[in-house]
Amino acid sequence: MSPLQETQRLKNQTTLPNTVQTTVLKPTAKFIDLLSSLVPGFLITLAVGFMTLFLVLPLAVIFIEAFKLGIVEYFKSFQDPSAWHAIKLTLIATGISLPLNLVFGIAAAWAIAKFEFVGKSVLITLIDLPFAVSPIISGLIFVLMFGLQGWFGAWLAERDLQIIFAVPGIVLATIFVTFPFVARELIPLMQEQGSDEEQAAISLGATGWQSFYYITLPNIKWAVLYGVILCNARAMGEFGAVSVVSGHIRGKTNTVPLHIEILYNEYNVVAAFAMASLLALMGLVTLALKTFLEWKVQQDRNTTLEPTLAEVH
Amino acid sequence: MGIEVQNVSKTFRSFKALKDVSLKVEDGELITLLGPSGSGKTTLLRIIAGLELPDDDNKGSVLFSGEDVAKKHVRDRQVGFVFQHYALFKHMSVFDNIAFGLRVRPKHERPSKQAIADKVTSLLKLIQLEQFATRFPSQLSGGQRQRVALARALAIEPRVLLLDEPFGALDAKVRQGLRTWLRRLHDEVHVTTILVTHDQEEALEVADRVVVMNQSKIEQVGTPEEVFHKPASEFVIDFLGNVNVFKGRLESGRAHFDSLAMDVPGLAHAPTGNANVYIRPHDLEIDRTKIGSQSLAANIERINPAGAHAKLTLLGVDGNEIQVDLPFERFTALNLKQGELVYVSPRKVHVFAPEYMI
Ligand SMILES: Nc1ncnc2c1ncn2[C@@H]1O[C@H](COP(=O)(O)OP(=O)(O)OP(=O)(O)O)[C@@H](O)[C@H]1O
Ligand SMILES: [Mg+2]
């Protein structure tokens, strides 16, 4: 018998006489009571402590650092043209990718939830792709395709079109990383709701568009908003993929997160944290909206009509 | 408007949900589609509505008033479809639900606001829910929702009304109420109506004609009286109410089962072979004494005297369980007791020779 097996055997032996253990423990039932009243408190303290340390504290640090040299210095940070440019670029990238992914997300969810077609499971998997691969890889894919050495590099260079290390690349990368959000939120809800109401609408003479606008959209509007909020948060905060395709050209291809990194590396702590405070603020607003929308979506779910057995009046 | 379904088949992947089904519905008729779960009732209804396309085998067609509607989209067929689970628009009030079909019409066909309001109000009156116009579907009872679904379908003045188990999810009493109401409504508006149900009582009660479906095919079409008293197949007699089955033999036009033998005029020329004899519980008579040769000895096992008929369960001497429904007066007159030996004699039998039928 190997030593490992030996210890295993011993362990088994020690745990075997169960009945003996319980009889031994019986007189200490009071102790167990005490313990069970303490355990929840302990766990809560632990969780709260952990959250304070890893979530609240960092958040506080951002604002403390940002305001360390006073409110004047804080606002001065935004007067730097490159800071402004970064904010503008972030807004552009978000502003383009958000509506595109909104349309794409609704279309994909609609197709997946309401129709049967070949390749449906492939589409579902593809939607999840950006979640599955690291953002760096996502960025590299675009470099591979559109970079100078990439597949379409020569073709693009001939026509003087620049995608990588330019705004189009940043927009593409942002679209790619954020495209699952709306679709992912809608698919389960729309599947749950089925297509009975749409079929009823069509049988009453509505066109496909009318049925979408008057029936589908009102049923999913909160879930759409929820997806958009998450999509927005990710689009503004995306670092990895954008970092690969941007080239970090100050005042040209820097988004807010990239600009923060540069400022920080230059020991410009106040400016870095001032910019960071913007993202943090947006995060908090997102969180609040998200909580509200979750509640609304849940309500949409709950109103799915169940047949009742009540009497006719 | 009359409807004609001709040789329609429907295949889902490899499963045949409808096999070469043909059916003719006269203008203004109320037809019920009756059949067990999965027999293809909904599929047939959806094909008529245009929500599903029949197999493209160059045989099947659906005609409305003699006109092929294959090319017609659902929205142009003017069918009022009431779904099994209502499918009310849950974010719209009762009023808006009913008005929907009128409001989505193209501008030049759309009635004026006032006309729509008048129409909806009259429909609300028809379904007896006038004071519920502003409620949302979630604030209605099941029976009320069902009536709203019906009013919504009626609003577009459909040429045909298709109802898929409209009362399926309701309790017995509500069903009964809505059933009578629907029949009365139909007598008023006279729109061609097809109603799906798997409740045989409902089917027989409201219909002008009943279509019995089984395993993707139509078993029989006939008036409620015909399908009940002249069932065309074993399935039909078995599906329409309780029935006793005896295994027997058919020999030169006579059915032999247990110790009985009866002439079967309809099967006079059938070859000798196995036969199944079906007797409805109310077609059996009970006596204390043996009358003639046409009776079976049996013991009374259970008595359920609640209802217009006393329901008796007997055990034949051969070990066959026999159900008998006795009119209550007859039951009290005989003063039957559990465990007693009695004689049962059939008034009417249905004989099917399986080998001969097919
Ligand atoms: N979209 C579909 N895809 C695959 N199979 C289907 C589809 N719709 C119906 N079927 C199959 O076709 C058969 C008939 O279905 P149908 O809905 O017509 O039955 P039904 O008579 O209405 O039954 P029920 O009384 O339960 O509603 C069933 O076996 C069902 O599984
Ligand atoms: Mg059905």
Side-chain angles (χ1 to χ4, degrees), chain B residues 12 15 17 36-43 84 165 198:
Chain B
F12 292 111
F15 180 80
S37 194
S39 54
K41 307 181 296 288
T42 299
T43 308
Q84 192 161 354
E165 301 204 26
H198 56 234

Side-chain angles (χ1 to χ4, degrees), chain A residues 112 117-129 184:
Chain A
I112 287 169
F117 55 91
V118 188
K120 186 162 153 171
S121 55
V122 178
L123 182 59
I124 296 177
T125 315
L126 274 181
I127 288 175
D128 277 342
L129 190 70
R184 267 282 131 207

Side-chain angles (χ1 to χ4, degrees), chain A residues 196-197 199-208 210 214-215 218-219 303-313, chain B residues 46 73 75 79 83 86-92 100-101 104 128 137-138 141-142 144-145 147 152 156 169 171 174:
Chain A
D196 274 9
E197 286 187 44
Q199 291 188 5
I202 303 257
S203 79
L204 290 168
T207 61
Q210 282 173 323
Y214 291 116
I215 309 301
N219 279 333
T303 52
T304 303
L305 284 185
E306 292 294 329
T308 71
L309 292 180
E311 291 277 328
V312 195
H313 80 274
Chain B
R46 288 173 61 86
H73 190 270
R75 82 175 73 88
V79 293
F83 292 79
Y86 324 119
L88 290 179
F89 308 133
K90 48 188 178 293
H91 61 285
M92 290 186 198
F100 185 85
V104 293
Q128 300 151 16
S138 56
S141 76
Q144 291 164 343
R145 284 178 201 167
R147 281 180 283 162
R152 183 179 69 178
I156 58 166
D171 68 40
V174 181

